[in-house]
Amino acid sequence: MSLTVHAAHSQSPEQALRDDLRSLGALLDFYRPWLLRLAAAEIDVPLRSKLSASDLVQKTHLRALESFPQFRGATDGEFRAWLVMIMKRQLADAIRYYQAAQMRDVYRERPLTGCDRLACEPADSASSAEIIERLIQAIEQLPEGERMIVRARYLEQQSFAQIGQACNLSREQVRRRWLRAIEKLACALADVEV
């Protein structure tokens, strides 16, 4: 969706660079209604309950104030493009934050079924602790993508489809990466006696 600003305003980005922060604030206030419309169009429906267009614009303004000394443009078009870029980054950060929060949701946790081996067999707890330590080390050696899939699958009990949605991969791509990770873990633990 392309939005243009039709009204004239008294401040340009070049003037705001020469003047103080009040001038920059006035310039940002001028673009606020335009950014609100753009933000409302950019925020997906599921995210709207967590992030309003007004919140996104406020975050955009704060980031613009912080980073304005690095702005190298001089025209209104360059300034608007810069604001849109900041807003899109803020939106992407918010999406990542809320996806991670959803993955950590305690209501999605499942209790262990049966008896935990460490609690049930104290005589074997030393060897079990060693196996667990080796498994943790093996997981940490996996490439980041495979490590994330293993954690999501086993620690967060997510389906391949859920992991794929979070990683922007197909269910089949996630399943293949999971299989590769499991094969690597099996090789790393092949000499451990269970």
Side-chain angles (χ1 to χ4, degrees), residues 103-188:
M103 289 173 62
R104 291 188 309 264
D105 188 355
V106 294
Y107 294 107
R108 295 176 58 186
E109 293 180 4
R110 305 281 188 274
L112 291 174
T113 57
C115 183
D116 180 7
R117 182 170 175 195
L118 290 176
C120 295
E121 301 172 20
D124 293 337
S125 64
S127 62
S128 295
E130 180 183 332
I131 292 169
I132 291 170
E133 181 62 31
R134 297 260 318 261
L135 179 60
I136 290 170
Q137 288 173 357
I139 291 171
E140 291 302 315
Q141 297 302 315
L142 291 172
E144 176 61 32
E146 292 175 6
R147 186 170 55 237
M148 192 278 305
I149 289 170
V150 168
R151 286 180 180 155
R153 184 81 174 140
Y154 292 105
L155 297 179
E156 297 158 15
Q157 309 245 329
Q158 291 186 10
S159 70
F160 293 132
Q162 290 170 320
I163 298 168
Q165 187 176 15
C167 298
N168 202 20
L169 297 169
S170 73
R171 180 187 180 287
E172 188 57 29
Q173 287 173 313
V174 172
R175 191 185 71 74
R176 283 193 304 261
R177 290 181 186 191
W178 171 78
L179 283 172
R180 275 197 309 264
I182 296 303
E183 288 172 5
K184 290 176 185 176
L185 293 175
C187 289

Side-chain angles (χ1 to χ4, degrees), residues 14-30:
E14 191 174 45
Q15 288 171 311
L17 274 172
R18 287 193 307 262
D19 295 341
D20 59 12
L21 285 178
R22 265 182 290 158
S23 299
L24 178 57
L27 187 60
L28 290 171
D29 282 343
F30 175 79

